[in-house]
Coordinates of all heavy atoms in Angstrom, one line a residue:
M1 N -1.8 146.9 -96.9 CA -0.5 146.5 -97.2 C 0.4 146.8 -96.0 O 0.4 147.9 -95.5 CB 0.0 147.1 -98.5 CG 1.5 146.7 -98.9 SD 1.8 145.1 -99.4 CE 0.8 145.0 -100.9
V2 N 1.1 145.8 -95.5 CA 2.1 146.0 -94.5 C 3.5 146.2 -95.1 O 3.9 145.4 -96.0 CB 2.1 144.7 -93.5 CG1 3.3 144.8 -92.5 CG2 0.8 144.6 -92.8
H3 N 4.2 147.2 -94.6 CA 5.5 147.5 -95.1 C 6.5 147.0 -94.1 O 6.5 147.5 -92.9 CB 5.7 149.0 -95.4 CG 4.7 149.5 -96.4 ND1 5.0 149.3 -97.8 CD2 3.5 150.1 -96.3 CE1 3.9 149.8 -98.4 NE2 3.0 150.3 -97.6
L4 N 7.4 146.1 -94.4 CA 8.3 145.5 -93.5 C 9.7 145.7 -94.1 O 10.0 145.2 -95.2 CB 8.0 144.0 -93.3 CG 8.6 143.4 -92.1 CD1 7.8 142.2 -91.6 CD2 10.0 142.9 -92.3
V5 N 10.6 146.3 -93.4 CA 12.0 146.5 -93.8 C 12.9 145.9 -92.8 O 12.7 146.1 -91.6 CB 12.3 148.1 -93.9 CG1 13.7 148.3 -94.3 CG2 11.3 148.7 -94.9
I6 N 13.8 145.1 -93.3 CA 14.7 144.4 -92.4 C 16.1 144.9 -92.7 O 16.5 145.0 -93.9 CB 14.6 142.9 -92.6 CG1 15.5 142.1 -91.7 CG2 14.9 142.4 -94.1 CD1 15.2 140.6 -91.5
C7 N 16.8 145.3 -91.7 CA 18.2 145.9 -91.8 C 19.1 144.7 -92.2 O 19.2 143.7 -91.5 CB 18.7 146.5 -90.6 SG 20.3 147.2 -90.7
M8 N 19.8 144.9 -93.3 CA 20.8 143.9 -93.8 C 22.2 144.4 -93.7 O 23.1 143.9 -94.3 CB 20.4 143.4 -95.2 CG 19.1 142.8 -95.3 SD 18.8 141.4 -94.2 CE 19.4 140.1 -95.2
G9 N 22.4 145.5 -92.9 CA 23.7 146.0 -92.6 C 24.5 144.9 -91.9 O 24.0 144.0 -91.3
S10 N 25.8 145.0 -92.0 CA 26.7 143.9 -91.5 C 26.5 143.6 -90.1 O 26.4 142.4 -89.7 CB 28.2 144.2 -91.8 OG 28.5 145.4 -91.1
S11 N 26.2 144.6 -89.2 CA 26.0 144.3 -87.8 C 24.7 143.6 -87.6 O 24.7 142.5 -86.9 CB 26.0 145.6 -87.0 OG 25.8 145.4 -85.6
C12 N 23.6 144.1 -88.1 CA 22.3 143.5 -87.9 C 22.3 142.1 -88.6 O 21.7 141.2 -88.0 CB 21.2 144.3 -88.4 SG 20.7 145.7 -87.3
F13 N 22.9 142.0 -89.7 CA 22.9 140.7 -90.4 C 23.6 139.7 -89.6 O 23.1 138.6 -89.4 CB 23.5 140.9 -91.8 CG 23.4 139.6 -92.6 CD1 22.3 139.3 -93.4 CD2 24.5 138.7 -92.7 CE1 22.2 138.2 -94.1 CE2 24.4 137.6 -93.5 CZ 23.3 137.3 -94.2
S14 N 24.8 140.0 -89.1 CA 25.5 139.0 -88.3 C 25.0 138.8 -86.9 O 25.2 137.7 -86.4 CB 27.0 139.4 -88.2 OG 27.1 140.6 -87.4
R15 N 24.2 139.7 -86.4 CA 23.6 139.6 -85.1 C 22.3 138.8 -85.1 O 21.7 138.6 -84.1 CB 23.4 140.9 -84.4 CG 24.8 141.6 -84.1 CD 24.6 142.9 -83.6 NE 24.2 142.9 -82.2 CZ 24.0 143.9 -81.5 NH1 24.0 145.1 -82.0 NH2 23.6 143.8 -80.2
G16 N 21.8 138.5 -86.3 CA 20.6 137.7 -86.4 C 19.6 137.9 -87.5 O 18.7 137.1 -87.7
N17 N 19.7 139.1 -88.2 CA 18.7 139.3 -89.2 C 18.8 138.3 -90.4 O 17.9 138.2 -91.2 CB 18.8 140.8 -89.7 CG 17.8 141.6 -89.0 OD1 17.0 141.1 -88.2 ND2 17.8 142.9 -89.2
N18 N 20.0 137.7 -90.5 CA 20.0 136.6 -91.5 C 19.0 135.5 -91.2 O 18.3 135.0 -92.0 CB 21.5 136.0 -91.6 CG 22.0 135.6 -90.3 OD1 21.6 136.0 -89.2 ND2 23.0 134.7 -90.4
R19 N 18.9 135.1 -89.9 CA 17.9 134.1 -89.5 C 16.5 134.7 -89.4 O 15.5 134.0 -89.7 CB 18.3 133.6 -88.1 CG 19.6 132.7 -88.2 CD 20.0 132.1 -86.8 NE 20.1 133.1 -85.8 CZ 21.2 133.9 -85.5 NH1 22.2 133.8 -86.3 NH2 21.2 134.8 -84.6
N20 N 16.4 136.0 -89.0 CA 15.1 136.6 -88.9 C 14.4 136.7 -90.2 O 13.2 136.5 -90.3 CB 15.3 138.0 -88.3 CG 15.6 138.0 -86.8 OD1 15.4 137.0 -86.1 ND2 16.2 139.1 -86.3
L21 N 15.2 137.0 -91.3 CA 14.6 137.0 -92.6 C 13.9 135.7 -93.0 O 12.7 135.7 -93.4 CB 15.6 137.4 -93.7 CG 15.1 137.4 -95.1 CD1 14.0 138.4 -95.3 CD2 16.3 137.7 -96.0
E22 N 14.6 134.6 -92.7 CA 14.0 133.3 -93.0 C 12.7 133.0 -92.1 O 11.7 132.5 -92.6 CB 15.0 132.2 -92.8 CG 14.5 130.8 -93.2 CD 14.0 130.7 -94.6 OE1 14.5 131.4 -95.5 OE2 13.1 129.9 -94.9
T23 N 12.8 133.4 -90.9 CA 11.7 133.2 -90.0 C 10.5 134.1 -90.4 O 9.3 133.6 -90.4 CB 12.1 133.6 -88.5 OG1 13.2 132.8 -88.1 CG2 10.9 133.4 -87.5
I24 N 10.7 135.3 -90.8 CA 9.6 136.2 -91.3 C 9.0 135.5 -92.6 O 7.8 135.4 -92.7 CB 10.2 137.6 -91.6 CG1 10.5 138.3 -90.4 CG2 9.2 138.4 -92.5 CD1 11.4 139.6 -90.5
R25 N 9.8 135.1 -93.5 CA 9.3 134.5 -94.7 C 8.5 133.2 -94.4 O 7.4 133.0 -95.0 CB 10.4 134.1 -95.7 CG 11.0 135.3 -96.4 CD 12.1 134.9 -97.3 NE 12.5 136.1 -98.1 CZ 13.7 136.1 -98.7 NH1 14.6 135.1 -98.6 NH2 14.0 137.2 -99.4
Q26 N 8.9 132.4 -93.5 CA 8.2 131.2 -93.1 C 6.9 131.6 -92.5 O 5.9 131.0 -92.8 CB 9.1 130.3 -92.2 CG 10.2 129.7 -92.9 CD 11.1 128.9 -91.9 OE1 11.0 129.0 -90.7 NE2 12.0 128.1 -92.4
W27 N 6.9 132.5 -91.6 CA 5.7 132.9 -90.9 C 4.6 133.4 -91.9 O 3.4 133.1 -91.8 CB 6.0 133.9 -89.8 CG 4.8 134.2 -88.9 CD1 4.6 133.6 -87.7 CD2 3.7 135.1 -89.1 NE1 3.4 134.0 -87.1 CE2 2.9 135.0 -87.9 CE3 3.4 136.0 -90.1 CZ2 1.7 135.7 -87.8 CZ3 2.2 136.7 -89.9 CH2 1.4 136.6 -88.8
L28 N 5.1 134.3 -92.7 CA 4.1 134.9 -93.7 C 3.5 133.8 -94.6 O 2.3 133.8 -94.9 CB 4.9 135.9 -94.6 CG 5.3 137.2 -93.9 CD1 6.2 138.1 -94.8 CD2 4.1 138.0 -93.3
S29 N 4.4 132.9 -95.0 CA 3.9 131.8 -95.9 C 2.9 130.9 -95.1 O 1.9 130.5 -95.7 CB 5.1 131.0 -96.4 OG 4.7 129.9 -97.1
M30 N 3.3 130.5 -93.9 CA 2.4 129.7 -93.1 C 1.0 130.3 -92.9 O 0.1 129.5 -92.8 CB 3.1 129.4 -91.8 CG 2.4 128.3 -90.9 SD 3.4 127.7 -89.5 CE 3.9 129.2 -88.7
H31 N 1.0 131.6 -92.7 CA -0.3 132.3 -92.5 C -1.0 132.9 -93.7 O -2.0 133.5 -93.6 CB -0.1 133.3 -91.4 CG 0.3 132.8 -90.1 ND1 1.6 132.5 -89.7 CD2 -0.5 132.4 -89.0 CE1 1.6 131.9 -88.5 NE2 0.3 131.9 -88.1
G32 N -0.3 132.7 -94.9 CA -0.9 133.2 -96.1 C -0.9 134.7 -96.3 O -1.8 135.2 -97.0
Y33 N 0.1 135.4 -95.7 CA 0.1 136.8 -95.8 C 1.1 137.4 -96.8 O 1.3 138.6 -96.9 CB 0.4 137.4 -94.4 CG -0.7 137.3 -93.4 CD1 -0.4 136.8 -92.2 CD2 -2.0 137.7 -93.8 CE1 -1.4 136.7 -91.2 CE2 -3.0 137.6 -92.8 CZ -2.7 137.1 -91.6 OH -3.7 137.0 -90.6
E34 N 1.8 136.5 -97.6 CA 2.8 137.0 -98.5 C 2.4 138.1 -99.4 O 3.1 139.1 -99.6 CB 3.4 135.9 -99.4 CG 3.9 134.7 -98.6 CD 3.0 133.5 -98.7 OE1 1.8 133.7 -98.4 OE2 3.4 132.4 -98.9
A35 N 1.2 138.0 -99.9 CA 0.7 139.0 -100.9 C 0.3 140.3 -100.2 O 0.1 141.3 -100.8 CB -0.6 138.5 -101.6
N36 N 0.2 140.3 -98.8 CA -0.1 141.5 -98.1 C 1.0 142.2 -97.5 O 0.8 143.1 -96.7 CB -1.1 141.1 -97.0 CG -2.3 140.4 -97.5 OD1 -2.4 139.2 -97.6 ND2 -3.3 141.2 -98.0
V37 N 2.2 141.8 -97.9 CA 3.4 142.4 -97.3 C 4.4 142.9 -98.4 O 4.7 142.2 -99.3 CB 4.2 141.4 -96.4 CG1 5.5 142.0 -95.9 CG2 3.3 141.0 -95.2
E38 N 4.9 144.1 -98.2 CA 6.0 144.6 -99.0 C 7.2 144.4 -98.2 O 7.4 145.1 -97.2 CB 5.8 146.0 -99.4 CG 7.0 146.6 -100.2 CD 6.8 148.0 -100.6 OE1 6.2 148.8 -99.8 OE2 7.4 148.4 -101.6
L39 N 8.0 143.4 -98.5 CA 9.2 143.0 -97.7 C 10.5 143.6 -98.4 O 10.7 143.2 -99.6 CB 9.3 141.5 -97.5 CG 10.5 141.0 -96.7 CD1 10.6 141.5 -95.3 CD2 10.5 139.5 -96.7
K40 N 11.2 144.4 -97.7 CA 12.4 145.0 -98.3 C 13.6 144.9 -97.3 O 13.3 144.8 -96.1 CB 12.2 146.5 -98.6 CG 11.2 146.8 -99.7 CD 11.2 148.3 -99.9 CE 10.4 148.7 -101.1 NZ 10.4 150.2 -101.3
G41 N 14.7 144.9 -97.9 CA 15.9 145.0 -97.1 C 16.5 146.4 -97.2 O 16.2 147.1 -98.1
C42 N 17.3 146.8 -96.2 CA 18.0 148.1 -96.3 C 19.4 147.9 -95.8 O 19.7 146.9 -95.1 CB 17.2 149.1 -95.5 SG 17.4 148.9 -93.7
R43 N 20.2 148.9 -96.1 CA 21.5 148.9 -95.6 C 21.4 149.4 -94.1 O 20.3 149.5 -93.6 CB 22.4 149.7 -96.4 CG 22.6 149.1 -97.8 CD 23.6 149.9 -98.6 NE 23.7 149.2 -99.9 CZ 24.5 149.6 -100.9 NH1 25.4 150.5 -100.6 NH2 24.5 149.0 -102.0
C44 N 22.5 149.7 -93.5 CA 22.5 150.1 -92.1 C 21.4 151.1 -91.8 O 21.4 152.2 -92.5 CB 23.9 150.6 -91.8 SG 24.0 151.1 -90.0
G45 N 20.6 150.8 -90.8 CA 19.6 151.8 -90.3 C 20.1 152.7 -89.3 O 19.3 153.6 -88.8
G46 N 21.4 152.6 -88.9 CA 22.0 153.6 -87.9 C 21.8 153.3 -86.5 O 22.2 154.1 -85.6
H47 N 21.2 152.1 -86.1 CA 21.1 151.8 -84.7 C 21.7 150.4 -84.4 O 21.1 149.5 -83.8 CB 19.6 151.8 -84.3 CG 18.9 153.1 -84.5 ND1 18.0 153.3 -85.4 CD2 19.1 154.3 -83.9 CE1 17.6 154.6 -85.4 NE2 18.3 155.2 -84.4
C48 N 22.9 150.2 -84.9 CA 23.6 148.9 -84.9 C 23.7 148.3 -83.5 O 23.5 147.1 -83.3 CB 25.0 149.1 -85.4 SG 25.1 149.8 -87.1
G49 N 23.9 149.2 -82.5 CA 24.1 148.7 -81.1 C 22.8 148.1 -80.5 O 22.9 147.4 -79.5
D50 N 21.7 148.4 -81.1 CA 20.4 148.0 -80.6 C 19.8 146.8 -81.4 O 18.7 146.4 -81.2 CB 19.4 149.1 -80.5 CG 19.9 150.2 -79.6 OD1 20.4 149.9 -78.5 OD2 19.8 151.4 -80.0
G51 N 20.5 146.4 -82.5 CA 20.0 145.5 -83.4 C 20.0 144.0 -82.9 O 20.5 143.8 -81.8
P52 N 19.5 143.2 -83.8 CA 19.1 143.4 -85.1 C 17.7 144.1 -85.1 O 16.9 144.0 -84.3 CB 18.9 142.0 -85.7 CG 19.0 141.0 -84.6 CD 19.6 141.8 -83.4
N53 N 17.6 145.0 -86.2 CA 16.5 145.9 -86.3 C 15.6 145.6 -87.5 O 16.1 145.2 -88.5 CB 17.0 147.4 -86.4 CG 17.8 147.7 -85.2 OD1 17.5 147.6 -84.1 ND2 19.0 148.2 -85.5
I54 N 14.3 145.8 -87.3 CA 13.4 145.7 -88.4 C 12.4 146.9 -88.2 O 12.2 147.4 -87.1 CB 12.6 144.4 -88.6 CG1 11.7 144.1 -87.4 CG2 13.6 143.2 -88.7 CD1 10.8 142.9 -87.6
W55 N 11.7 147.3 -89.3 CA 10.7 148.3 -89.3 C 9.4 147.7 -89.8 O 9.4 147.1 -90.9 CB 11.1 149.5 -90.1 CG 12.2 150.3 -89.5 CD1 12.2 151.4 -88.7 CD2 13.6 150.0 -89.6 NE1 13.4 151.8 -88.4 CE2 14.4 151.0 -88.9 CE3 14.4 149.0 -90.3 CZ2 15.7 151.0 -88.8 CZ3 15.7 149.0 -90.2 CH2 16.4 150.0 -89.4
I56 N 8.3 147.9 -89.1 CA 7.0 147.4 -89.6 C 6.2 148.7 -89.6 O 5.9 149.3 -88.6 CB 6.4 146.4 -88.6 CG1 7.3 145.1 -88.5 CG2 5.0 146.0 -89.1 CD1 6.9 144.1 -87.5
N57 N 5.8 149.0 -90.9 CA 5.0 150.2 -91.1 C 5.6 151.4 -90.5 O 4.9 152.3 -89.9 CB 3.5 150.0 -90.6 CG 2.8 149.0 -91.4 OD1 3.0 148.8 -92.6 ND2 1.9 148.3 -90.8
G58 N 6.9 151.5 -90.6 CA 7.7 152.7 -90.2 C 8.1 152.7 -88.7 O 8.7 153.6 -88.2
I59 N 7.6 151.7 -87.9 CA 7.9 151.6 -86.5 C 9.1 150.7 -86.3 O 9.1 149.5 -86.7 CB 6.7 151.1 -85.7 CG1 5.6 152.1 -85.8 CG2 7.1 150.9 -84.2 CD1 4.3 151.6 -85.3
E60 N 10.2 151.2 -85.7 CA 11.4 150.4 -85.5 C 11.2 149.4 -84.4 O 10.7 149.8 -83.3 CB 12.6 151.3 -85.3 CG 13.9 150.5 -85.1 CD 15.1 151.4 -85.0 OE1 14.9 152.6 -84.7 OE2 16.2 150.9 -85.2
H61 N 11.7 148.2 -84.6 CA 11.7 147.2 -83.5 C 13.2 146.8 -83.4 O 13.8 146.4 -84.4 CB 10.8 146.0 -83.9 CG 9.4 146.4 -84.1 ND1 8.5 146.4 -83.0 CD2 8.7 146.8 -85.2 CE1 7.3 146.8 -83.5 NE2 7.4 147.0 -84.8
Q62 N 13.7 146.9 -82.2 CA 15.1 146.6 -82.0 C 15.3 145.3 -81.2 O 14.4 144.9 -80.5 CB 15.7 147.7 -81.2 CG 15.6 149.1 -81.9 CD 16.1 150.2 -81.1 OE1 16.1 150.2 -79.9 NE2 16.6 151.3 -81.8
G63 N 16.4 144.7 -81.4 CA 16.8 143.4 -80.7 C 15.9 142.3 -81.1 O 15.5 141.4 -80.3
V64 N 15.5 142.3 -82.3 CA 14.5 141.3 -82.8 C 15.2 139.9 -82.9 O 16.4 139.8 -83.4 CB 14.0 141.7 -84.2 CG1 13.1 140.6 -84.8 CG2 13.2 143.0 -84.1
T65 N 14.5 138.9 -82.5 CA 15.0 137.5 -82.5 C 14.0 136.6 -83.3 O 12.8 137.0 -83.3 CB 15.3 136.9 -81.1 OG1 14.0 136.8 -80.5 CG2 16.2 137.8 -80.3
P66 N 14.4 135.5 -83.7 CA 13.4 134.6 -84.3 C 12.3 134.3 -83.4 O 11.2 134.1 -83.8 CB 14.3 133.3 -84.7 CG 15.6 133.9 -85.0 CD 15.8 135.0 -83.9
A67 N 12.6 134.2 -82.1 CA 11.5 133.9 -81.1 C 10.5 135.0 -81.0 O 9.4 134.8 -80.6 CB 12.1 133.6 -79.8
S68 N 11.0 136.3 -81.2 CA 10.0 137.4 -81.0 C 9.2 137.7 -82.3 O 8.2 138.5 -82.2 CB 10.8 138.7 -80.6 OG 11.7 139.1 -81.6
I69 N 9.6 137.2 -83.4 CA 8.9 137.5 -84.7 C 7.5 137.1 -84.7 O 6.6 137.9 -85.1 CB 9.7 137.0 -85.9 CG1 11.0 137.8 -86.0 CG2 8.9 136.9 -87.1 CD1 12.0 137.3 -87.0
P70 N 7.1 135.9 -84.3 CA 5.7 135.5 -84.4 C 4.8 136.5 -83.6 O 3.7 136.9 -84.1 CB 5.6 134.1 -83.8 CG 7.0 133.5 -84.1 CD 7.9 134.7 -83.9
A71 N 5.2 136.9 -82.5 CA 4.3 137.9 -81.7 C 4.3 139.2 -82.4 O 3.2 139.8 -82.5 CB 4.9 138.0 -80.3
L72 N 5.4 139.7 -82.9 CA 5.4 141.0 -83.7 C 4.5 140.9 -84.9 O 3.6 141.8 -85.1 CB 6.8 141.3 -84.2 CG 7.8 141.9 -83.2 CD1 9.2 142.0 -83.8 CD2 7.3 143.3 -82.8
L73 N 4.6 139.8 -85.6 CA 3.8 139.7 -86.8 C 2.3 139.5 -86.5 O 1.4 140.0 -87.2 CB 4.3 138.7 -87.8 CG 5.7 139.0 -88.3 CD1 6.2 137.8 -89.2 CD2 5.7 140.3 -89.1
S74 N 2.0 138.7 -85.5 CA 0.6 138.5 -85.1 C 0.0 139.8 -84.7 O -1.2 140.0 -85.0 CB 0.6 137.5 -83.9 OG 1.0 136.2 -84.3
R75 N 0.7 140.6 -83.9 CA 0.1 141.9 -83.5 C -0.1 142.8 -84.8 O -1.1 143.5 -84.9 CB 1.0 142.6 -82.5 CG 0.9 142.1 -81.1 CD 1.6 143.0 -80.1 NE 3.0 143.4 -80.4 CZ 4.0 142.7 -80.0 NH1 3.9 141.6 -79.3 NH2 5.2 143.2 -80.4
T76 N 0.8 142.7 -85.7 CA 0.7 143.5 -86.9 C -0.5 143.2 -87.7 O -1.2 144.0 -88.3 CB 2.0 143.4 -87.8 OG1 3.1 143.8 -87.0 CG2 1.9 144.1 -89.1
F77 N -0.8 141.9 -87.8 CA -1.9 141.4 -88.7 C -3.2 141.2 -88.0 O -4.2 140.9 -88.6 CB -1.5 140.1 -89.4 CG -0.5 140.3 -90.5 CD1 0.8 140.2 -90.3 CD2 -1.0 140.7 -91.8 CE1 1.7 140.4 -91.4 CE2 -0.1 141.0 -92.8 CZ 1.3 140.8 -92.6
A78 N -3.2 141.4 -86.7 CA -4.5 141.3 -85.9 C -5.5 142.3 -86.5 O -5.3 143.5 -86.6 CB -4.2 141.6 -84.4
G79 N -6.6 141.7 -86.9 CA -7.7 142.5 -87.4 C -7.5 143.0 -88.8 O -8.3 143.8 -89.4
K80 N -6.5 142.6 -89.5 CA -6.2 143.0 -90.9 C -6.5 141.8 -91.8 O -6.5 140.7 -91.4 CB -4.8 143.5 -91.1 CG -4.5 144.7 -90.3 CD -3.1 145.2 -90.7 CE -2.8 146.5 -89.9 NZ -1.6 147.1 -90.2
V81 N -6.6 142.1 -93.1 CA -6.7 141.2 -94.2 C -8.0 140.5 -94.2 O -8.9 140.4 -93.6 CB -5.5 140.2 -94.2 CG1 -5.7 139.3 -95.5 CG2 -4.2 140.9 -94.2

């Protein structure tokens, strides 16, 4: 199970996590991984200046964009499932 947390604090949300959430959901659906992910939102993660931020299995990824999500998720799922 992959644990993915997306910061939904006002800074990260307005800087792109609103779009990143949709991109993540689309990628998971397109690749059939929805059942293998626990996707949660959180309030401010405390690193607003480096956002938008997401955590995959406890590892923080900063400055995440819709364009960077496919590579992040591909690396996460490489050799899994």
Side-chain angles (χ1 to χ4, degrees):
M1 178 70 63
V2 171
H3 300 278
L4 198 153
V5 178
I6 185 164
C7 181
M8 298 306 271
S10 59
S11 178
C12 282
F13 186 82
S14 67
R15 293 174 79 185
N17 267 353
N18 56 336
R19 293 180 305 278
N20 289 340
L21 177 59
E22 184 58 32
T23 302
I24 290 166
R25 286 181 172 158
Q26 288 174 351
W27 191 94
L28 293 172
S29 176
M30 187 168 52
H31 292 87
Y33 290 131
E34 303 103 315
N36 302 94
V37 174
E38 179 183 26
L39 178 61
K40 291 183 175 181
C42 71
R43 295 186 183 186
C44 182
H47 299 112
C48 306
D50 299 316
N53 304 308
I54 67 170
W55 291 262
I56 301 174
N57 293 329
I59 298 170
E60 183 175 17
H61 300 274
Q62 300 175 331
V64 177
T65 66
S68 67
I69 288 170
L72 279 172
L73 294 179
S74 292
R75 282 194 307 269
T76 299
F77 285 97
K80 293 186 180 184
V81 184

